[in-house]
Amino acid sequence: MKFPVLLGAALMLLAQTTQAAWPDKPVRVIVPFPAGGAADNSMRVVARKLNEYWGQAVVVDNRPGFPGIQAGTTAAPDGYTLLLAAGSSIVTAPLIVAKLPYNPQRDLVPVGRVLTNPPIMVANTTLGVKNVKDLIALAKARPGTLNFSSSGIGSPNHLAMEMFMAMTGTNMVHVPYKGGAPSVTELISNEVQLGINAVPSVLQYVKTGKLTAIGMASAARAAALPDVPTVAESGVPGFDYTIWYGLFAPVKTPADVVNRINADLQRALKDGEVARQLIAQGSEPAGNTPQEFARYISEDTAKWARIVKERKLKVEE
């Protein structure tokens, strides 16, 4: 009888030792965005700090678009492949895209929110508006004539403008582009008149006067542009659109591994140098626990589901 007992104890000890050894090889973070973009740059700052903590390489693997999300959902659930996903992929895409190649609720486990990119409403300088009050007045005086750019039909900045129009009783024309970069380029060249974009995408143009800052679309002002008031405090109370990115693991990843990653992620985001670098890029650290992150996603989904239903938004792809 002693042998089975000893064998069981040995196997349990081996399992604990194996679990405790995590990570004993490089960790890959799939970033479904192009290299050099805001999300990629921010994740690389965090990855360098996690590399210090873990003593293992943390490799940022750029796989733009849905293929990147799929690679994250189908990876082995061992903690060695993580996914940096945006709210647009986790919350809004499932609400508006008829046929998604993944199901975030079924395929992924929330690890922790990493950062937010405070969005800002900006206008081409030739439009002649300086603030939210000016914009609303002009839009109401010229219904259906002002236009705004977005990174695509159903994209987060499109939905944010739909929410703005619903809350202000205005009517403007949507001009979708294939990606955030061309939508900003056309805004600067005056092909379109205004739009809501992540601060890192337009920060330099606001600071050099090429674009006019109308108001922050998030509930709070941005650390990178503290003098720009929010849309909410400028006459549209309750307006809140936040661009967020979080780490996810494939479903069935052990809970203790998820918790270990989350603990070190939060530690990294509280590091002064990490925070400084993120803020300099226009991003802001935003750590939370897996449980808090799951609740946040649920609340965000309910909010955008209402907007999608009210505005009758759907993408047949």
Side-chain angles (χ1 to χ4, degrees), residues 268-285:
L269 293 172
K270 292 175 183 176
D271 180 86
E273 181 57 22
V274 169
R276 186 194 67 76
Q277 291 183 54
L278 293 179
I279 290 170
Q281 294 175 3
S283 301
E284 297 182 6

Side-chain angles (χ1 to χ4, degrees), residues 116-180:
T116 60
N117 279 337
I120 183 172
M121 183 182 288
V122 291
N124 186 278
T125 55
T126 61
L127 190 59
V129 297
K130 300 295 183 184
N131 51 49
V132 172
K133 184 179 178 181
D134 289 349
L135 175 60
I136 294 174
L138 184 61
K140 288 187 173 181
R142 297 164 52 187
T145 60
L146 302 189
N147 58 38
F148 64 92
S149 65
S150 83
S151 55
I153 296 173
S155 61
N157 45 4
H158 171 209
L159 296 184
M161 284 300 298
E162 292 283 352
M163 180 167 64
F164 180 80
M165 290 189 290
M167 294 179 72
T168 59
T170 55
N171 178 27
M172 293 177 275
V173 178
H174 177 216
V175 182
Y177 289 88
K178 292 183 178 180

Side-chain angles (χ1 to χ4, degrees), residues 18 25 43 71 121 128 154 169 192 231-232 273 283 303:
T18 302
K25 62 181 180 179
M43 189 62 237
M121 183 182 288
V192 285
V231 172
E273 181 57 22
S283 301
K303 168 187 169 181

Side-chain angles (χ1 to χ4, degrees), residues 66-115:
F66 287 161
I69 304 288
Q70 282 183 282
T73 62
T74 57
D78 54 11
Y80 289 99
T81 298
L82 304 172
L83 172 70
L84 179 76
S88 56
S89 301
I90 301 299
V91 171
T92 55
L95 293 173
I96 61 174
V97 179
K99 295 180 181 179
L100 269 185
Y102 63 91
N103 182 325
Q105 292 186 341
R106 179 195 65 204
D107 302 332
L108 294 168
V109 174
V111 175
R113 199 164 63 151
V114 178
L115 59 94

